[in-house]
Amino acid sequence: NAGVTQTPKFRVLKTGQSMTLLCAQDMNHEYMYWYRQDPGMGLRLIHYSVGEGTTAKGEVPDGYNVSRLKKQNFLLGLESAAPSQTSVYFCASTKTGFSPLHFGNGTRLTVT
Amino acid sequence: GQQLNQSPQSMFIQEGEDVSMNCTSSSIFNTWLWYKQEPGEGPVLLIALYKAGELTSNGRLTAQFGITRKDSFLNISASIPSDVGIYFCAGRPQGGSEKLVFGKGTKLTVNP
C-alpha cells in the first residue's frame, strides 16, 4: 500500500518555465490537498479538492492551478514559475473532511 | 483567517528529558491533530483529538484537547535521539471546515 505518492521528488526550473506536480493516492480518499512549506512559515494551503472534478482555492492560490480529473490523482500546475515559488510542496489526502490528513514525502522545487 | 500559535519555536534538550509544547488559538476548534516531520519526509500523524478535555497517549507521547477548545498540548516523556524533528499542531475550526489550520512547528533537537 503506497499511500500518497508525489512525483517528481526534486526539480529545478528557470523563471518563466512551466511544470506539473503529480500526486497519486491509492486509499480511495475523497479529499486531496496541496500545501507549500517554507522555513518559519509552516504549511500553507494552496488548493484543495473535495471530490473528483472539484477544486477550490486555499490560502495562497496565486500562480498555481490544479485539476482533479480522476479521484486518485491531484495535479498542481505552475504556468510561469517565479523564484518566490521555490519551496517544498506536499500533497495530502483524507477520506472525509473530518479525518486526519495523510501526507506524501514532498517535492522540492527550486526556481532560478 | 484563523491562526494557531505554536510554542516554543525550537527546543534543545538532553536525552532523557521530558518535553512539552502547545498550540493556542483565539477561536474554537473541533479537532486537534499533532504531526511529526523528519528531514526529507512528509508530516506523519502522531495523535488525533476529537473531544474537549480528551487526553490521549501514543507510547511516550501524550496530547490533550483543551477544555476551552482553543488550545492543545503535546508532551514527550524520556526523550530519545530519534524524537528529533519538527512537530506540528493542526486544528479543524468550528463549523465543519474541510481545511486544516497548521501551527508553524516546534523544532526539537535531542542531544545524546
Side-chain angles (χ1 to χ4, degrees):
Chain A
N1 189 344
V4 179
T5 303
Q6 292 183 233
T7 52
K9 288 184 169 45
F10 303 94
R11 186 72 187 268
V12 178
L13 288 179
K14 292 186 193 274
T15 298
Q17 287 185 321
S18 64
M19 80 162 294
T20 300
L21 283 67
L22 171 64
C23 177
Q25 52 93 6
D26 61 2
M27 297 174 283
N28 200 34
H29 284 171
E30 288 294 334
Y31 294 71
M32 297 186 75
Y33 305 78
W34 276 107
Y35 288 87
R36 61 177 288 173
Q37 185 177 36
D38 303 292
M41 300 293 288
L43 288 154
R44 292 185 291 169
L45 182 63
I46 304 171
H47 286 280
Y48 66 103
S49 168
V50 301
E52 181 179 314
T54 75
T55 63
K57 292 181 181 180
E59 182 186 352
V60 288
D62 294 342
Y64 305 96
N65 57 75
V66 288
S67 65
R68 183 99 181 268
L69 298 179
K70 292 183 180 181
K71 185 177 183 178
Q72 63 266 35
N73 295 337
F74 195 28
L75 278 62
L76 178 70
L78 286 74
E79 289 186 350
S80 179
S84 61
Q85 294 177 305
T86 293
S87 188
V88 182
Y89 292 85
F90 286 99
C91 176
S93 72
T94 184
K95 189 168 183 61
T96 75
F98 302 96
S99 311
L101 269 57
H102 298 261
F103 284 87
N105 281 331
T107 294
R108 185 174 293 275
L109 176 66
T110 302
V111 183
T112 61
Chain B
Q2 283 134 334
Q3 291 184 329
L4 291 180
N5 298 309
Q6 186 171 351
S7 65
Q9 286 187 342
S10 61
M11 302 182 75
F12 297 84
I13 62 171
Q14 292 296 125
E15 183 176 359
E17 290 183 1
D18 296 343
V19 171
S20 185
M21 58 192 79
N22 69 82
C23 262
T24 60
S25 172
S26 58
S27 52
I28 289 174
F29 282 71
N30 287 338
T31 302
W32 287 95
L33 306 169
W34 285 92
Y35 286 87
K36 179 187 178 187
Q37 184 180 26
E38 298 187 12
E41 298 184 5
V44 174
L45 181 70
L46 298 173
I47 293 177
L49 302 160
Y50 298 102
K51 196 173 171 182
E54 183 179 354
L55 184 72
T56 297
S57 293
N58 178 4
R60 294 176 295 105
L61 278 61
T62 302
Q64 186 160 26
F65 192 141
I67 287 290
T68 65
R69 298 168 68 190
K70 295 182 179 180
D71 62 348
S72 177
F73 72 76
L74 174 71
N75 286 343
I76 305 173
S77 62
S79 59
I80 59 177
S82 62
D83 289 334
V84 164
I86 302 176
Y87 291 79
F88 290 98
C89 64
R92 189 162 274 119
Q94 186 181 43
S97 171
E98 62 272 2
K99 294 180 287 185
L100 280 180
V101 178
F102 280 85
K104 294 186 177 178
T106 295
K107 186 174 181 180
L108 179 64
T109 302
V110 180
N111 296 315

